[in-house]
Each structure stands twice: as C-alpha cells, then as structure tokens.
Amino acid sequence: VTLPRPKILSVTVNSSDYEIIGGNNSWSQREVSGLVGHARSMILKNALDNGIYSRAESSGKVKVRELLEACGFRNIVVSVAEE
C-alpha cells in the first residue's frame, strides 16, 4: 500500500474564543484579525519545526498496517509516495 504524502489542509484559530488580558480591551476587529493571523502562522511554523510531516507519515503507516492486519492481511508493506 502506498499512502499519499501528508499535507496540511488548514490551520484553524477560533477568533471568537479568546480573551485579552490587560490593557483597555478595546482591540479593533482589524487588530484581532492580525493577531489571529499571526497565531496561525506561529502554529504552522511550530508544527513544521517539530516534524509534523514525518510524524504524520509514521503514524499513517502504523494505522494502515494495523487496519489491514485486523482485516486478516499478512505480508503488508506500507510506504509513502515520493514527492
């Protein structure tokens, strides 16, 4: 079985679920949007810096192998497609 390469489909930051502590709490929608955009960028960078693709490949291969073994298959080879 050859799995497709992992890809990040989206990074979601719920901008309606935040609390600003300190200051006068009068942030404009533009400022909040900028902050959310920055948070999204930082989350993506952190995921990439911590090997999200490598971890996803490893996890995907293990889960597919486990599924196929549970279905009774043997001699299973699971790989990830080349770029």
Side-chain angles (χ1 to χ4, degrees):
V1 175
T2 301
L3 301 176
R5 297 196 56 79
K7 60 183 171 182
I8 297 173
L9 301 176
S10 68
V11 178
T12 302
V13 177
N14 186 351
S15 61
S16 64
D17 189 25
Y18 66 87
E19 180 178 357
I20 298 172
I21 300 184
N24 59 12
N25 291 332
S26 62
W27 288 48
S28 70
Q29 184 59 39
R30 184 180 202 173
E31 291 170 316
V32 171
S33 292
L35 184 60
V36 168
H38 180 69
R40 185 178 297 115
S41 296
M42 294 303 297
I43 290 168
L44 179 58
K45 181 183 180 320
N46 191 310
L48 295 172
D49 289 348
N50 284 287
I52 190 79
Y53 288 125
S54 175
R55 293 169 60 188
E57 287 178 6
S58 297
S59 176
K61 290 192 301 190
V62 167
K63 297 301 180 186
V64 168
R65 175 181 294 283
E66 289 174 351
L67 173 66
L68 295 174
E69 286 174 346
C71 291
F73 291 95
R74 300 289 174 251
N75 300 321
I76 303 164
V77 176
V78 181
S79 61
V80 176
E82 295 294 320
E83 289 187 38

